[in-house]
Amino acid sequence: PHVKSPEQPAKSQEPPPKTDQDLDQESEKLLQEPRVADWQPKIILGGALAIFAQVYLWGTVFVTLFKRPNGSLQTAEAAQASAPASARPQAPTPSAPIVLSGAGGLLRGQAAAAAAAPTTVSAAGPAMPNPSVTGPAS
């Protein structure tokens, strides 16, 4: 019988360690690159704008979170509670529901009248009832 040996994982190809000469060459390249000015106005103004925006944002958040409750609302509730029952506003009594008909939202009686009225068509919009052509006065 033939016995297979377990496969060895492939070794990664690592670059050789850098020598002092390689490090010296890299540092020379870095020193020869043109240097950017330390203080540029656009960088200073951009940083100042960003800081101002953050302070304004968090100031608004903390003012909103820790704002005192509105005192006028509390006094209005107290005055309403102490007022006699007859002086308090009453809720309106519910009336019969309005029944709408069709997509136009017309009342049920108006829908039949609108369907019987002649319509005009213009280039500016959809067909609409013509106010100049009316049926017999009733």
Side-chain angles (χ1 to χ4, degrees), residues 47 65 75 104:
L65 287 176
T75 57

Side-chain angles (χ1 to χ4, degrees), residues 99-108 111:
V99 179
L100 300 177
S101 173
L106 298 173
L107 294 174
R108 185 163 282 166

Side-chain angles (χ1 to χ4, degrees), residues 48-112:
L49 178 65
I51 291 170
F52 174 77
Q54 288 291 317
V55 169
Y56 183 80
L57 169 76
W58 287 108
T60 305
V61 168
F62 284 118
V63 165
T64 304
L65 287 176
F66 300 111
K67 186 175 15 176
R68 286 187 176 178
N70 192 357
S72 62
L73 179 62
Q74 292 172 349
T75 57
E77 289 175 355
Q80 186 179 15
S82 64
S86 62
R88 291 185 194 155
Q90 298 296 324
T93 57
S95 61
I98 298 175
V99 179
L100 300 177
S101 173
L106 298 173
L107 294 174
R108 185 163 282 166
Q110 293 174 341

